[in-house]
Amino acid sequence: SAQRCYRDLEAWSQWESKAIQPKLEGHVQHLRQDFTQIRSDLSAAQQSMVDLMCQVQKIQNIGIEELCCLHRYAASTFSDDAQRFAGRLAVILRESFGATPIEPAPGDHFDSAYCERGTGSGCYIAACIHRGWRWKDGVFRAITANRESP
């Protein structure tokens, strides 16, 4: 009787492991496929987020450039209202966008990365005609009058 019980228990164990093993392998395979899909979806979402951030940065740079252009126009207009407007725009550019003014002094060497020639053709700055701006991802170049010697 004990031997029979032992054989039955052994037969049942073999049957149970054979019946459960394929089910477990199927579940494990299904989980692997799910995790692979999740990893792929997460990677695609990350790339979409990077693309979106680049697009937002590009749009922000265009907006900052427009503010710089408005500042230049207002600063070159001699009415009191236009000067106040230019002053307010300068504060917005500094405080909201971290922009710093580009105002080369007479005698400074001309740098085309930050300046463009308004008049003259020399390598030195005679005067800054219009202020430029520099911020994290962009430059709105200053307009200068140039001369040959410092």
Side-chain angles (χ1 to χ4, degrees):
S1 162
Q3 286 180 346
R4 183 174 172 233
C5 184
Y6 179 73
R7 279 190 311 249
D8 289 345
L9 181 60
E10 190 176 303
W12 182 79
S13 294
Q14 288 175 357
W15 175 82
E16 181 184 45
S17 69
K18 288 179 183 176
I20 292 176
Q21 188 69 23
K23 288 182 183 177
L24 284 177
E25 286 178 10
H27 287 300
V28 168
Q29 183 61 26
H30 185 67
L31 283 172
R32 279 191 185 123
Q33 290 171 347
D34 287 349
F35 278 117
T36 300
Q37 184 63 45
I38 289 169
R39 184 179 298 137
S40 174
D41 292 346
L42 183 59
S43 180
Q46 272 182 312
Q47 187 58 47
S48 293
M49 187 67 79
V50 167
D51 293 345
L52 179 62
M53 288 170 51
C54 289
Q55 190 66 17
V56 166
Q57 187 63 49
K58 181 180 175 182
I59 291 168
Q60 179 179 336
N61 284 340
I62 291 169
I64 295 171
E65 209 169 299
E66 288 296 321
L67 289 175
C68 293
C69 191
L70 282 172
H71 175 269
R72 179 172 289 170
Y73 175 76
S76 65
T77 305
F78 296 107
S79 75
D80 290 340
D81 288 340
Q83 292 301 308
R84 279 192 294 277
F85 184 69
R88 181 65 186 133
L89 281 174
V91 170
I92 290 170
L93 286 164
R94 282 188 192 111
E95 292 179 3
S96 298
F97 299 104
T100 56
I102 300 171
E103 296 179 280
D108 287 352
H109 193 271
F110 177 80
D111 183 351
S112 63
Y114 300 108
C115 303
E116 61 184 79
R117 285 182 177 87
T119 61
S121 61
C123 295
Y124 294 95
I125 305 223
C128 180
I129 299 170
H130 295 290
R131 174 190 302 175
W133 293 91
R134 175 178 35 199
W135 63 97
K136 180 182 173 194
D137 294 315
V139 172
F140 187 77
R141 297 184 301 168
I143 297 177
T144 59
N146 292 30
R147 63 180 177 212
E148 293 297 325
S149 62

